[in-house]
Amino acid sequence: GIPRNPMINAGALVIADLLLEHCGDPLESLTDLLGQLAGEPIRIDPDVAAAEEATSQRNRAMGNLMASFGNLTNDIDAVLDVYNRQCAITMTARQIARSVRFLADDGVDPASGLSILSGSLARRVMAVMLTCGTYDAAGDFAFSVGLPCKSGVAGGILAVAPDHSGICVWSPPLDVAGNSVAGRVALHELTDRLELSIF
């Protein structure tokens, strides 16, 4: 009854609820942090946010079910607004790669020296990414790529090479699991040639 995986919609809704609890303006806090990590301002695309809102029936149903079990504390409309708009954050592949470098560096942003997470929590985030970040293909990604990854339905895949780098690839055509076809091949080639696999 308690979603613990932020890499799937139910867990992401809980994260949106928690952001509402702990941040005066959750989206400003999120885009400010991402901008600091990426080294450039980050914005939300209002057209994409509106499209997310127009097709959020399943997330609304899920949120209402979760609220009935006490898993959400804020109004479902407020939670969905944060969720839908954070789904509309616009970033380049370079910005995404830069924004996850802190995971590769035991939770510390190498550009600023700012501690984002403890080393232990950074490793836990990467463990969830490795086991759940690419939907039903997580096992295949672990085998062929060998890095913690998180994919998105826009065709991007971010990966973390521990003690090395943040990586992002992007190509819109998706496979049946919802992951970028070309992006997966590119990550396999990159990790193979640079011997980055954690295995």
Side-chain angles (χ1 to χ4, degrees):
I2 301 175
R4 294 182 174 87
N5 179 1
M7 305 292 165
I8 60 173
N9 290 28
L13 288 168
V14 170
I15 296 299
D17 186 57
L18 288 170
L19 289 173
L20 283 164
E21 288 291 311
H22 296 285
C23 302
D25 184 335
L27 292 157
E28 183 178 341
S29 297
L30 184 56
T31 54
D32 284 352
L33 175 61
L34 287 171
Q36 181 178 356
L37 293 170
E40 301 173 56
I42 301 299
R43 67 178 191 86
I44 294 171
D45 185 316
D47 293 333
V48 174
E52 288 287 333
E53 171 63 29
T55 58
S56 64
Q57 295 87 347
R58 185 176 296 174
N59 285 330
R60 180 174 297 279
M62 193 182 319
N64 281 314
L65 180 64
M66 290 163 47
S68 76
F69 283 99
N71 287 330
L72 299 177
T73 58
N74 290 280
D75 177 74
I76 188 65
D77 287 330
V79 172
L80 281 172
D81 182 60
V82 170
Y83 176 86
N84 290 332
R85 290 199 288 150
Q86 65 93 31
C87 286
I89 291 172
T90 300
M91 297 176 75
T92 66
R94 180 178 184 272
Q95 290 169 334
I96 292 170
R98 288 174 59 94
S99 72
V100 297
R101 292 180 301 177
F102 74 95
L103 290 172
D105 197 27
D106 286 328
V108 177
D109 176 27
S112 67
L114 181 67
S115 178
I116 306 300
L117 293 177
S118 69
S120 174
L121 284 176
R123 288 187 291 278
R124 288 178 184 219
V125 169
M126 289 189 288
V128 175
M129 288 170 61
L130 181 70
T131 57
C132 309
T134 51
Y135 312 114
D136 290 338
D140 292 335
F141 267 80
F143 183 81
S144 66
V145 175
L147 294 177
C149 295
K150 177 65 184 103
S151 64
V153 295
I157 306 173
L158 67 85
V160 179
D163 301 318
H164 190 273
S165 59
I167 302 164
C168 181
V169 296
W170 178 78
S171 178
L174 307 179
D175 63 19
V176 293
N179 301 300
S180 168
V181 174
R184 180 175 171 175
V185 172
L187 283 172
H188 169 76
E189 289 294 323
L190 182 69
T191 57
D192 196 44
R193 290 182 191 186
L194 298 182
E195 299 182 350
L196 293 176
S197 172
I198 63 174
F199 299 109

